[in-house]
Amino acid sequence: MLFDRYGRPLDNLRITVTTACNYNCVFCHREGEETNNTQLTPDQITDVATAAYSLDIRKFKITGGEPLLREDLPEIIHSLKSIGKGIEVSLTTNGYLLEDKLNRLVDKGLDRVNVSLHAVSPQTYVAVTQVKGQDKVLRGLSLAKDYSLPVKLNYVLTKANVGELEKVLDYASKMGFNVNLIELIPQGKGKEIFDKLYVPAEEVLPLLESKSSRVEVRPLHSRPIFKLETGIQVEVIANYCNPFFCAGCTRIRLTHDGKLKTCLNRDDNLVDIRNTLMDRSHEKLYKLRESIIKANFLREPFFKMNGYGATTYDGKITCPLRKIAQLSLSHEEKKKK
Ligand code: SAM
């Protein structure tokens, strides 16, 4: 397994298969990528994943844009699953097309799915996504349950939908789905509306605490996990001003147009593999491996500890240590004792 200069392992690859989307979420970060029509072929995606597999990466997360818009998504999943043993392929989707397409995805070996559900009430759902899709998404989610496919709901916390959190948790509990409670990230449209819509996770911690029997911390992004009394769990994904989030980062990204991206928040240190992806020689796999090794070397925590607070790698933002970071820290300390 590869480790970067900060001792962080690299165990997963997040793959943007398209930037096209049938939604228009008011805060979309677009995975920190430029939007255009370019997309990689299933073979190109599989070549990168094969090189990653040879470096012990076993987890592949497909994202977009909206990945379900790609007609060849079943082929991509099948091809990723065929690379070798122990591979987990998951998908992040707005869920609108799930009821029409899930059958073939499961058939090709999809292991689990994250479905974005920022509200249960139709009005708030439309205010956030700008699409009247909530009924269709709920039908897709029921189908996923019927297939016994593991589901996580992605709920992005903002001022527009903070009032929906309890309803989302009630729905998730009823369905037996775990929840990712994601803080707003100031990227893409998320940057434009950050000051207007950002709600720190700390504001909803009392609610989560009141519903939980215990709290654990997942190594990935040092995410606090609230174990709700209803039996589901809520993972808090709080990136902003949180050095513990970055300290637990174990991923790189493959962009829709053939670049390796070391961090959602950065595009100044991309590794361009477009030429290699066109290469037809037997050295292609070797070159892709070298590119992944290079991208791994370039990985760097976006937020780092700075005395008693956090600072970005370039020193442009500094902030005091957040309660959510302290939660991860105190958990680490308890484990050591
Ligand atoms: N279209 C798919 C969807 O809506 O799930 C996949 C792509 S979307 C960019 C991936 C995930 O990022 C979704 O769960 C989405 O809600 C979340 N997301 C988008 N913009 C965000 C932002 N500014 N901050 C935090 N999460 C965001």
PDB file of all heavy atoms in Angstrom, residues 38-73:
ATOM      1  N   THR A  38     -16.295  16.397 -21.887  1.00  0.00           N
ATOM      2  CA  THR A  38     -15.331  15.297 -21.975  1.00  0.00           C
ATOM      3  C   THR A  38     -15.662  14.198 -20.977  1.00  0.00           C
ATOM      4  O   THR A  38     -16.079  14.480 -19.860  1.00  0.00           O
ATOM      5  CB  THR A  38     -13.919  15.815 -21.594  1.00  0.00           C
ATOM      6  OG1 THR A  38     -13.780  17.120 -22.100  1.00  0.00           O
ATOM      7  CG2 THR A  38     -12.829  14.902 -22.082  1.00  0.00           C
ATOM      8  N   GLN A  39     -15.473  12.964 -21.393  1.00  0.00           N
ATOM      9  CA  GLN A  39     -15.545  11.875 -20.415  1.00  0.00           C
ATOM     10  C   GLN A  39     -14.666  10.712 -20.868  1.00  0.00           C
ATOM     11  O   GLN A  39     -14.399  10.535 -22.062  1.00  0.00           O
ATOM     12  CB  GLN A  39     -16.985  11.424 -20.164  1.00  0.00           C
ATOM     13  CG  GLN A  39     -17.716  10.918 -21.363  1.00  0.00           C
ATOM     14  CD  GLN A  39     -19.196  10.658 -21.061  1.00  0.00           C
ATOM     15  OE1 GLN A  39     -19.834  11.361 -20.282  1.00  0.00           O
ATOM     16  NE2 GLN A  39     -19.745   9.628 -21.675  1.00  0.00           N
ATOM     17  N   LEU A  40     -14.199   9.940 -19.910  1.00  0.00           N
ATOM     18  CA  LEU A  40     -13.326   8.811 -20.234  1.00  0.00           C
ATOM     19  C   LEU A  40     -14.169   7.616 -20.663  1.00  0.00           C
ATOM     20  O   LEU A  40     -15.325   7.483 -20.269  1.00  0.00           O
ATOM     21  CB  LEU A  40     -12.476   8.441 -19.014  1.00  0.00           C
ATOM     22  CG  LEU A  40     -11.588   9.546 -18.457  1.00  0.00           C
ATOM     23  CD1 LEU A  40     -10.801   9.044 -17.241  1.00  0.00           C
ATOM     24  CD2 LEU A  40     -10.612  10.068 -19.520  1.00  0.00           C
ATOM     25  N   THR A  41     -13.565   6.744 -21.451  1.00  0.00           N
ATOM     26  CA  THR A  41     -14.276   5.529 -21.871  1.00  0.00           C
ATOM     27  C   THR A  41     -14.193   4.499 -20.737  1.00  0.00           C
ATOM     28  O   THR A  41     -13.324   4.599 -19.853  1.00  0.00           O
ATOM     29  CB  THR A  41     -13.608   4.909 -23.114  1.00  0.00           C
ATOM     30  OG1 THR A  41     -12.286   4.496 -22.733  1.00  0.00           O
ATOM     31  CG2 THR A  41     -13.529   5.894 -24.268  1.00  0.00           C
ATOM     32  N   PRO A  42     -15.073   3.489 -20.768  1.00  0.00           N
ATOM     33  CA  PRO A  42     -14.972   2.426 -19.755  1.00  0.00           C
ATOM     34  C   PRO A  42     -13.562   1.811 -19.731  1.00  0.00           C
ATOM     35  O   PRO A  42     -13.028   1.533 -18.652  1.00  0.00           O
ATOM     36  CB  PRO A  42     -16.019   1.406 -20.208  1.00  0.00           C
ATOM     37  CG  PRO A  42     -17.046   2.224 -20.912  1.00  0.00           C
ATOM     38  CD  PRO A  42     -16.276   3.315 -21.614  1.00  0.00           C
ATOM     39  N   ASP A  43     -12.945   1.621 -20.897  1.00  0.00           N
ATOM     40  CA  ASP A  43     -11.598   1.026 -20.928  1.00  0.00           C
ATOM     41  C   ASP A  43     -10.573   1.925 -20.237  1.00  0.00           C
ATOM     42  O   ASP A  43      -9.705   1.452 -19.499  1.00  0.00           O
ATOM     43  CB  ASP A  43     -11.140   0.783 -22.379  1.00  0.00           C
ATOM     44  CG  ASP A  43     -11.797  -0.460 -22.958  1.00  0.00           C
ATOM     45  OD1 ASP A  43     -12.423  -1.208 -22.173  1.00  0.00           O
ATOM     46  OD2 ASP A  43     -11.705  -0.656 -24.184  1.00  0.00           O
ATOM     47  N   GLN A  44     -10.675   3.226 -20.492  1.00  0.00           N
ATOM     48  CA  GLN A  44      -9.710   4.156 -19.870  1.00  0.00           C
ATOM     49  C   GLN A  44      -9.871   4.167 -18.353  1.00  0.00           C
ATOM     50  O   GLN A  44      -8.889   4.149 -17.607  1.00  0.00           O
ATOM     51  CB  GLN A  44      -9.906   5.570 -20.445  1.00  0.00           C
ATOM     52  CG  GLN A  44      -9.431   5.685 -21.878  1.00  0.00           C
ATOM     53  CD  GLN A  44      -9.750   7.040 -22.490  1.00  0.00           C
ATOM     54  OE1 GLN A  44     -10.810   7.630 -22.232  1.00  0.00           O
ATOM     55  NE2 GLN A  44      -8.863   7.536 -23.310  1.00  0.00           N
ATOM     56  N   ILE A  45     -11.123   4.180 -17.906  1.00  0.00           N
ATOM     57  CA  ILE A  45     -11.376   4.160 -16.455  1.00  0.00           C
ATOM     58  C   ILE A  45     -10.815   2.869 -15.859  1.00  0.00           C
ATOM     59  O   ILE A  45     -10.155   2.870 -14.814  1.00  0.00           O
ATOM     60  CB  ILE A  45     -12.897   4.282 -16.178  1.00  0.00           C
ATOM     61  CG1 ILE A  45     -13.386   5.682 -16.564  1.00  0.00           C
ATOM     62  CG2 ILE A  45     -13.218   3.987 -14.715  1.00  0.00           C
ATOM     63  CD1 ILE A  45     -14.895   5.845 -16.587  1.00  0.00           C
ATOM     64  N   THR A  46     -11.042   1.767 -16.563  1.00  0.00           N
ATOM     65  CA  THR A  46     -10.578   0.471 -16.051  1.00  0.00           C
ATOM     66  C   THR A  46      -9.050   0.406 -16.035  1.00  0.00           C
ATOM     67  O   THR A  46      -8.462  -0.177 -15.115  1.00  0.00           O
ATOM     68  CB  THR A  46     -11.158  -0.673 -16.914  1.00  0.00           C
ATOM     69  OG1 THR A  46     -12.563  -0.473 -17.004  1.00  0.00           O
ATOM     70  CG2 THR A  46     -10.879  -2.030 -16.298  1.00  0.00           C
ATOM     71  N   ASP A  47      -8.408   1.009 -17.026  1.00  0.00           N
ATOM     72  CA  ASP A  47      -6.931   1.009 -17.035  1.00  0.00           C
ATOM     73  C   ASP A  47      -6.388   1.713 -15.784  1.00  0.00           C
ATOM     74  O   ASP A  47      -5.463   1.215 -15.132  1.00  0.00           O
ATOM     75  CB  ASP A  47      -6.402   1.724 -18.289  1.00  0.00           C
ATOM     76  CG  ASP A  47      -6.549   0.855 -19.537  1.00  0.00           C
ATOM     77  OD1 ASP A  47      -6.754  -0.367 -19.380  1.00  0.00           O
ATOM     78  OD2 ASP A  47      -6.473   1.409 -20.651  1.00  0.00           O
ATOM     79  N   VAL A  48      -6.961   2.859 -15.461  1.00  0.00           N
ATOM     80  CA  VAL A  48      -6.489   3.590 -14.270  1.00  0.00           C
ATOM     81  C   VAL A  48      -6.767   2.756 -13.013  1.00  0.00           C
ATOM     82  O   VAL A  48      -5.923   2.617 -12.128  1.00  0.00           O
ATOM     83  CB  VAL A  48      -7.160   4.979 -14.149  1.00  0.00           C
ATOM     84  CG1 VAL A  48      -6.659   5.710 -12.904  1.00  0.00           C
ATOM     85  CG2 VAL A  48      -6.895   5.809 -15.394  1.00  0.00           C
ATOM     86  N   ALA A  49      -7.955   2.165 -12.969  1.00  0.00           N
ATOM     87  CA  ALA A  49      -8.324   1.367 -11.791  1.00  0.00           C
ATOM     88  C   ALA A  49      -7.433   0.123 -11.679  1.00  0.00           C
ATOM     89  O   ALA A  49      -7.088  -0.302 -10.573  1.00  0.00           O
ATOM     90  CB  ALA A  49      -9.794   0.981 -11.867  1.00  0.00           C
ATOM     91  N   THR A  50      -7.044  -0.439 -12.816  1.00  0.00           N
ATOM     92  CA  THR A  50      -6.165  -1.615 -12.786  1.00  0.00           C
ATOM     93  C   THR A  50      -4.794  -1.236 -12.212  1.00  0.00           C
ATOM     94  O   THR A  50      -4.224  -1.960 -11.387  1.00  0.00           O
ATOM     95  CB  THR A  50      -5.996  -2.198 -14.215  1.00  0.00           C
ATOM     96  OG1 THR A  50      -7.288  -2.478 -14.724  1.00  0.00           O
ATOM     97  CG2 THR A  50      -5.157  -3.460 -14.219  1.00  0.00           C
ATOM     98  N   ALA A  51      -4.299  -0.081 -12.634  1.00  0.00           N
ATOM     99  CA  ALA A  51      -3.022   0.394 -12.078  1.00  0.00           C
ATOM    100  C   ALA A  51      -3.179   0.650 -10.580  1.00  0.00           C
ATOM    101  O   ALA A  51      -2.300   0.297  -9.776  1.00  0.00           O
ATOM    102  CB  ALA A  51      -2.587   1.667 -12.798  1.00  0.00           C
ATOM    103  N   ALA A  52      -4.325   1.240 -10.204  1.00  0.00           N
ATOM    104  CA  ALA A  52      -4.570   1.517  -8.779  1.00  0.00           C
ATOM    105  C   ALA A  52      -4.634   0.203  -7.995  1.00  0.00           C
ATOM    106  O   ALA A  52      -4.093   0.098  -6.890  1.00  0.00           O
ATOM    107  CB  ALA A  52      -5.869   2.302  -8.628  1.00  0.00           C
ATOM    108  N   TYR A  53      -5.287  -0.784  -8.586  1.00  0.00           N
ATOM    109  CA  TYR A  53      -5.425  -2.096  -7.922  1.00  0.00           C
ATOM    110  C   TYR A  53      -4.042  -2.698  -7.659  1.00  0.00           C
ATOM    111  O   TYR A  53      -3.801  -3.285  -6.599  1.00  0.00           O
ATOM    112  CB  TYR A  53      -6.255  -3.022  -8.807  1.00  0.00           C
ATOM    113  CG  TYR A  53      -6.564  -4.361  -8.178  1.00  0.00           C
ATOM    114  CD1 TYR A  53      -7.615  -4.511  -7.284  1.00  0.00           C
ATOM    115  CD2 TYR A  53      -5.800  -5.496  -8.489  1.00  0.00           C
ATOM    116  CE1 TYR A  53      -7.905  -5.739  -6.699  1.00  0.00           C
ATOM    117  CE2 TYR A  53      -6.083  -6.724  -7.916  1.00  0.00           C
ATOM    118  CZ  TYR A  53      -7.136  -6.841  -7.024  1.00  0.00           C
ATOM    119  OH  TYR A  53      -7.418  -8.055  -6.447  1.00  0.00           O
ATOM    120  N   SER A  54      -3.147  -2.518  -8.628  1.00  0.00           N
ATOM    121  CA  SER A  54      -1.790  -3.075  -8.465  1.00  0.00           C
ATOM    122  C   SER A  54      -1.043  -2.360  -7.339  1.00  0.00           C
ATOM    123  O   SER A  54      -0.002  -2.818  -6.888  1.00  0.00           O
ATOM    124  CB  SER A  54      -1.010  -3.001  -9.778  1.00  0.00           C
ATOM    125  OG  SER A  54      -0.575  -1.673 -10.000  1.00  0.00           O
ATOM    126  N   LEU A  55      -1.579  -1.208  -6.905  1.00  0.00           N
ATOM    127  CA  LEU A  55      -0.976  -0.472  -5.780  1.00  0.00           C
ATOM    128  C   LEU A  55      -1.850  -0.609  -4.523  1.00  0.00           C
ATOM    129  O   LEU A  55      -1.838   0.244  -3.641  1.00  0.00           O
ATOM    130  CB  LEU A  55      -0.815   1.006  -6.161  1.00  0.00           C
ATOM    131  CG  LEU A  55       0.208   1.257  -7.271  1.00  0.00           C
ATOM    132  CD1 LEU A  55       0.051   2.664  -7.864  1.00  0.00           C
ATOM    133  CD2 LEU A  55       1.635   1.072  -6.754  1.00  0.00           C
ATOM    134  N   ASP A  56      -2.643  -1.670  -4.505  1.00  0.00           N
ATOM    135  CA  ASP A  56      -3.451  -2.048  -3.331  1.00  0.00           C
ATOM    136  C   ASP A  56      -4.689  -1.190  -3.089  1.00  0.00           C
ATOM    137  O   ASP A  56      -5.248  -1.205  -1.988  1.00  0.00           O
ATOM    138  CB  ASP A  56      -2.607  -2.070  -2.041  1.00  0.00           C
ATOM    139  CG  ASP A  56      -1.571  -3.173  -2.081  1.00  0.00           C
ATOM    140  OD1 ASP A  56      -1.828  -4.172  -2.779  1.00  0.00           O
ATOM    141  OD2 ASP A  56      -0.518  -3.025  -1.433  1.00  0.00           O
ATOM    142  N   ILE A  57      -5.096  -0.437  -4.085  1.00  0.00           N
ATOM    143  CA  ILE A  57      -6.363   0.296  -3.939  1.00  0.00           C
ATOM    144  C   ILE A  57      -7.498  -0.658  -4.315  1.00  0.00           C
ATOM    145  O   ILE A  57      -7.484  -1.250  -5.394  1.00  0.00           O
ATOM    146  CB  ILE A  57      -6.370   1.565  -4.825  1.00  0.00           C
ATOM    147  CG1 ILE A  57      -5.317   2.547  -4.290  1.00  0.00           C
ATOM    148  CG2 ILE A  57      -7.754   2.212  -4.857  1.00  0.00           C
ATOM    149  CD1 ILE A  57      -5.112   3.780  -5.135  1.00  0.00           C
ATOM    150  N   ARG A  58      -8.459  -0.799  -3.409  1.00  0.00           N
ATOM    151  CA  ARG A  58      -9.539  -1.773  -3.627  1.00  0.00           C
ATOM    152  C   ARG A  58     -10.915  -1.115  -3.671  1.00  0.00           C
ATOM    153  O   ARG A  58     -11.893  -1.760  -4.007  1.00  0.00           O
ATOM    154  CB  ARG A  58      -9.560  -2.802  -2.463  1.00  0.00           C
ATOM    155  CG  ARG A  58      -8.296  -3.649  -2.374  1.00  0.00           C
ATOM    156  CD  ARG A  58      -8.266  -4.674  -3.493  1.00  0.00           C
ATOM    157  NE  ARG A  58      -7.081  -5.508  -3.459  1.00  0.00           N
ATOM    158  CZ  ARG A  58      -5.936  -5.234  -4.079  1.00  0.00           C
ATOM    159  NH1 ARG A  58      -5.821  -4.124  -4.788  1.00  0.00           N
ATOM    160  NH2 ARG A  58      -4.906  -6.062  -3.999  1.00  0.00           N
ATOM    161  N   LYS A  59     -10.977   0.168  -3.269  1.00  0.00           N
ATOM    162  CA  LYS A  59     -12.288   0.820  -3.198  1.00  0.00           C
ATOM    163  C   LYS A  59     -12.412   1.854  -4.314  1.00  0.00           C
ATOM    164  O   LYS A  59     -11.564   2.760  -4.408  1.00  0.00           O
ATOM    165  CB  LYS A  59     -12.457   1.521  -1.851  1.00  0.00           C
ATOM    166  CG  LYS A  59     -12.603   0.551  -0.712  1.00  0.00           C
ATOM    167  CD  LYS A  59     -12.870   1.301   0.566  1.00  0.00           C
ATOM    168  CE  LYS A  59     -12.805   0.340   1.730  1.00  0.00           C
ATOM    169  NZ  LYS A  59     -12.591   1.014   2.983  1.00  0.00           N
ATOM    170  N   PHE A  60     -13.447   1.718  -5.106  1.00  0.00           N
ATOM    171  CA  PHE A  60     -13.697   2.653  -6.192  1.00  0.00           C
ATOM    172  C   PHE A  60     -15.082   3.269  -6.017  1.00  0.00           C
ATOM    173  O   PHE A  60     -16.072   2.540  -5.920  1.00  0.00           O
ATOM    174  CB  PHE A  60     -13.597   1.941  -7.547  1.00  0.00           C
ATOM    175  CG  PHE A  60     -12.253   1.308  -7.775  1.00  0.00           C
ATOM    176  CD1 PHE A  60     -12.110  -0.070  -7.739  1.00  0.00           C
ATOM    177  CD2 PHE A  60     -11.131   2.093  -7.983  1.00  0.00           C
ATOM    178  CE1 PHE A  60     -10.862  -0.666  -7.926  1.00  0.00           C
ATOM    179  CE2 PHE A  60      -9.882   1.518  -8.164  1.00  0.00           C
ATOM    180  CZ  PHE A  60      -9.742   0.133  -8.138  1.00  0.00           C
ATOM    181  N   LYS A  61     -15.112   4.578  -5.954  1.00  0.00           N
ATOM    182  CA  LYS A  61     -16.394   5.289  -5.785  1.00  0.00           C
ATOM    183  C   LYS A  61     -16.681   6.060  -7.073  1.00  0.00           C
ATOM    184  O   LYS A  61     -15.876   6.895  -7.493  1.00  0.00           O
ATOM    185  CB  LYS A  61     -16.281   6.254  -4.602  1.00  0.00           C
ATOM    186  CG  LYS A  61     -17.341   7.308  -4.521  1.00  0.00           C
ATOM    187  CD  LYS A  61     -18.640   6.818  -3.926  1.00  0.00           C
ATOM    188  CE  LYS A  61     -18.582   6.748  -2.428  1.00  0.00           C
ATOM    189  NZ  LYS A  61     -19.693   5.966  -1.882  1.00  0.00           N
ATOM    190  N   ILE A  62     -17.821   5.771  -7.660  1.00  0.00           N
ATOM    191  CA  ILE A  62     -18.190   6.435  -8.917  1.00  0.00           C
ATOM    192  C   ILE A  62     -19.076   7.637  -8.591  1.00  0.00           C
ATOM    193  O   ILE A  62     -20.038   7.532  -7.838  1.00  0.00           O
ATOM    194  CB  ILE A  62     -18.954   5.453  -9.838  1.00  0.00           C
ATOM    195  CG1 ILE A  62     -18.047   4.273 -10.191  1.00  0.00           C
ATOM    196  CG2 ILE A  62     -19.438   6.157 -11.086  1.00  0.00           C
ATOM    197  CD1 ILE A  62     -18.762   3.156 -10.935  1.00  0.00           C
ATOM    198  N   THR A  63     -18.723   8.786  -9.205  1.00  0.00           N
ATOM    199  CA  THR A  63     -19.496   9.998  -8.947  1.00  0.00           C
ATOM    200  C   THR A  63     -19.646  10.806 -10.227  1.00  0.00           C
ATOM    201  O   THR A  63     -19.285  10.352 -11.320  1.00  0.00           O
ATOM    202  CB  THR A  63     -18.840  10.802  -7.787  1.00  0.00           C
ATOM    203  OG1 THR A  63     -19.650  11.942  -7.488  1.00  0.00           O
ATOM    204  CG2 THR A  63     -17.437  11.268  -8.110  1.00  0.00           C
ATOM    205  N   GLY A  64     -20.177  12.027 -10.105  1.00  0.00           N
ATOM    206  CA  GLY A  64     -20.372  12.870 -11.290  1.00  0.00           C
ATOM    207  C   GLY A  64     -20.332  14.332 -10.877  1.00  0.00           C
ATOM    208  O   GLY A  64     -19.785  14.654  -9.819  1.00  0.00           O
ATOM    209  N   GLY A  65     -20.999  15.138 -11.619  1.00  0.00           N
ATOM    210  CA  GLY A  65     -22.198  15.003 -12.400  1.00  0.00           C
ATOM    211  C   GLY A  65     -23.099  13.893 -11.865  1.00  0.00           C
ATOM    212  O   GLY A  65     -23.014  13.512 -10.719  1.00  0.00           O
ATOM    213  N   GLU A  66     -23.984  13.447 -12.712  1.00  0.00           N
ATOM    214  CA  GLU A  66     -24.871  12.366 -12.313  1.00  0.00           C
ATOM    215  C   GLU A  66     -24.470  11.084 -13.049  1.00  0.00           C
ATOM    216  O   GLU A  66     -24.707  10.949 -14.250  1.00  0.00           O
ATOM    217  CB  GLU A  66     -26.329  12.753 -12.598  1.00  0.00           C
ATOM    218  CG  GLU A  66     -27.332  11.669 -12.302  1.00  0.00           C
ATOM    219  CD  GLU A  66     -27.114  10.965 -10.950  1.00  0.00           C
ATOM    220  OE1 GLU A  66     -26.874  11.639  -9.932  1.00  0.00           O
ATOM    221  OE2 GLU A  66     -27.172   9.712 -10.924  1.00  0.00           O
ATOM    222  N   PRO A  67     -23.838  10.140 -12.333  1.00  0.00           N
ATOM    223  CA  PRO A  67     -23.330   8.938 -12.996  1.00  0.00           C
ATOM    224  C   PRO A  67     -24.404   8.108 -13.700  1.00  0.00           C
ATOM    225  O   PRO A  67     -24.126   7.471 -14.711  1.00  0.00           O
ATOM    226  CB  PRO A  67     -22.680   8.128 -11.872  1.00  0.00           C
ATOM    227  CG  PRO A  67     -22.957   8.845 -10.615  1.00  0.00           C
ATOM    228  CD  PRO A  67     -23.499  10.194 -10.916  1.00  0.00           C
ATOM    229  N   LEU A  68     -25.656   8.155 -13.181  1.00  0.00           N
ATOM    230  CA  LEU A  68     -26.696   7.328 -13.807  1.00  0.00           C
ATOM    231  C   LEU A  68     -27.087   7.838 -15.200  1.00  0.00           C
ATOM    232  O   LEU A  68     -27.809   7.166 -15.920  1.00  0.00           O
ATOM    233  CB  LEU A  68     -27.937   7.248 -12.917  1.00  0.00           C
ATOM    234  CG  LEU A  68     -27.769   6.515 -11.583  1.00  0.00           C
ATOM    235  CD1 LEU A  68     -29.088   6.414 -10.845  1.00  0.00           C
ATOM    236  CD2 LEU A  68     -27.202   5.126 -11.771  1.00  0.00           C
ATOM    237  N   LEU A  69     -26.598   9.018 -15.568  1.00  0.00           N
ATOM    238  CA  LEU A  69     -26.871   9.497 -16.924  1.00  0.00           C
ATOM    239  C   LEU A  69     -26.032   8.748 -17.960  1.00  0.00           C
ATOM    240  O   LEU A  69     -26.328   8.785 -19.146  1.00  0.00           O
ATOM    241  CB  LEU A  69     -26.566  11.004 -17.033  1.00  0.00           C
ATOM    242  CG  LEU A  69     -27.546  11.950 -16.336  1.00  0.00           C
ATOM    243  CD1 LEU A  69     -27.092  13.396 -16.493  1.00  0.00           C
ATOM    244  CD2 LEU A  69     -28.959  11.774 -16.881  1.00  0.00           C
ATOM    245  N   ARG A  70     -24.984   8.078 -17.498  1.00  0.00           N
ATOM    246  CA  ARG A  70     -24.144   7.343 -18.462  1.00  0.00           C
ATOM    247  C   ARG A  70     -24.782   6.002 -18.775  1.00  0.00           C
ATOM    248  O   ARG A  70     -24.944   5.160 -17.900  1.00  0.00           O
ATOM    249  CB  ARG A  70     -22.733   7.143 -17.904  1.00  0.00           C
ATOM    250  CG  ARG A  70     -21.822   8.288 -18.316  1.00  0.00           C
ATOM    251  CD  ARG A  70     -20.391   8.004 -18.074  1.00  0.00           C
ATOM    252  NE  ARG A  70     -19.783   7.149 -19.079  1.00  0.00           N
ATOM    253  CZ  ARG A  70     -18.514   7.177 -19.400  1.00  0.00           C
ATOM    254  NH1 ARG A  70     -17.707   8.038 -18.811  1.00  0.00           N
ATOM    255  NH2 ARG A  70     -18.034   6.353 -20.308  1.00  0.00           N
ATOM    256  N   GLU A  71     -25.098   5.813 -20.060  1.00  0.00           N
ATOM    257  CA  GLU A  71     -25.751   4.566 -20.468  1.00  0.00           C
ATOM    258  C   GLU A  71     -24.845   3.363 -20.249  1.00  0.00           C
ATOM    259  O   GLU A  71     -25.309   2.247 -20.075  1.00  0.00           O
ATOM    260  CB  GLU A  71     -26.164   4.642 -21.954  1.00  0.00           C
ATOM    261  CG  GLU A  71     -27.298   5.627 -22.240  1.00  0.00           C
ATOM    262  CD  GLU A  71     -28.590   5.301 -21.486  1.00  0.00           C
ATOM    263  OE1 GLU A  71     -28.822   4.110 -21.195  1.00  0.00           O
ATOM    264  OE2 GLU A  71     -29.345   6.244 -21.165  1.00  0.00           O
ATOM    265  N   ASP A  72     -23.521   3.618 -20.303  1.00  0.00           N
ATOM    266  CA  ASP A  72     -22.586   2.491 -20.166  1.00  0.00           C
ATOM    267  C   ASP A  72     -22.135   2.279 -18.713  1.00  0.00           C
ATOM    268  O   ASP A  72     -21.168   1.576 -18.455  1.00  0.00           O
ATOM    269  CB  ASP A  72     -21.365   2.687 -21.077  1.00  0.00           C
ATOM    270  CG  ASP A  72     -20.663   4.023 -20.827  1.00  0.00           C
ATOM    271  OD1 ASP A  72     -21.095   4.767 -19.919  1.00  0.00           O
ATOM    272  OD2 ASP A  72     -19.678   4.308 -21.538  1.00  0.00           O
ATOM    273  N   LEU A  73     -22.881   2.836 -17.758  1.00  0.00           N
ATOM    274  CA  LEU A  73     -22.497   2.665 -16.354  1.00  0.00           C
ATOM    275  C   LEU A  73     -22.446   1.185 -15.928  1.00  0.00           C
ATOM    276  O   LEU A  73     -21.504   0.771 -15.234  1.00  0.00           O
ATOM    277  CB  LEU A  73     -23.432   3.476 -15.441  1.00  0.00           C
ATOM    278  CG  LEU A  73     -23.005   3.548 -13.979  1.00  0.00           C
ATOM    279  CD1 LEU A  73     -21.652   4.226 -13.801  1.00  0.00           C
ATOM    280  CD2 LEU A  73     -24.056   4.273 -13.149  1.00  0.00           C
TER     281      LEU A  73
END
